[in-house]
Amino acid sequence: MKIIPSMEETFKNDILFMGASDWRDFGTKEIKGVEIHCVEGEFFESFDVRIKGAKRDMFKDIERRQQVTFNDFKINTWNFNGKKGLTISASSMHILD
């Protein structure tokens, strides 16, 4: 199931960039994109946002704790072999001033 939340309603405070790593396919280990490691500014809850097709080098000049936002923010729920979870994805990330 896909959930398309409002960024303003879901995150009333800042989303802070904490780093980026390669997002790899579970089975083949091929690079599918980038996982952006984020922290919510008030309660410091951490989460990752996946951007398909992006390269990790695109994010190397971004400083940690810089405020960011995402385009086409989606939450996907999954259930596999008795395990459940959420995957957060977006089409792109933007740095806020």
Side-chain angles (χ1 to χ4, degrees):
M1 172 196 306
K2 286 188 181 180
I3 303 167
I4 304 173
S6 163
M7 288 291 291
E8 293 78 22
E9 291 296 318
T10 305
F11 299 101
K12 295 191 185 281
N13 298 298
D14 301 340
I15 299 174
L16 307 177
F17 175 85
M18 297 304 288
S21 62
D22 290 331
W23 165 34
R24 296 181 181 269
D25 183 86
F26 183 76
T28 65
K29 304 300 181 202
E30 291 182 36
I31 297 173
K32 294 175 74 173
V34 172
E35 278 190 329
I36 305 297
H37 310 295
C38 301
V39 173
E40 188 273 335
E42 183 177 3
F43 298 107
F44 297 102
E45 293 286 334
S46 64
F47 60 96
D48 295 336
V49 178
R50 294 177 173 178
I51 301 177
K52 189 174 186 173
K55 305 285 185 210
R56 190 172 64 183
D57 291 344
M58 297 166 58
F59 304 96
K60 67 181 180 182
D61 295 332
I62 302 173
E63 294 181 27
R64 290 173 60 114
R65 295 181 299 278
Q66 196 158 2
Q67 188 177 355
V68 297
T69 189
F70 295 95
N71 282 349
D72 300 324
F73 190 76
K74 295 181 183 111
I75 299 173
N76 300 306
T77 60
W78 56 268
N79 185 351
F80 182 71
N81 283 344
K83 297 183 179 184
K84 300 173 188 173
L86 298 173
T87 303
I88 304 170
S89 62
S91 62
S92 63
M93 180 186 86
H94 298 283
I95 299 168
L96 299 176
D97 295 328

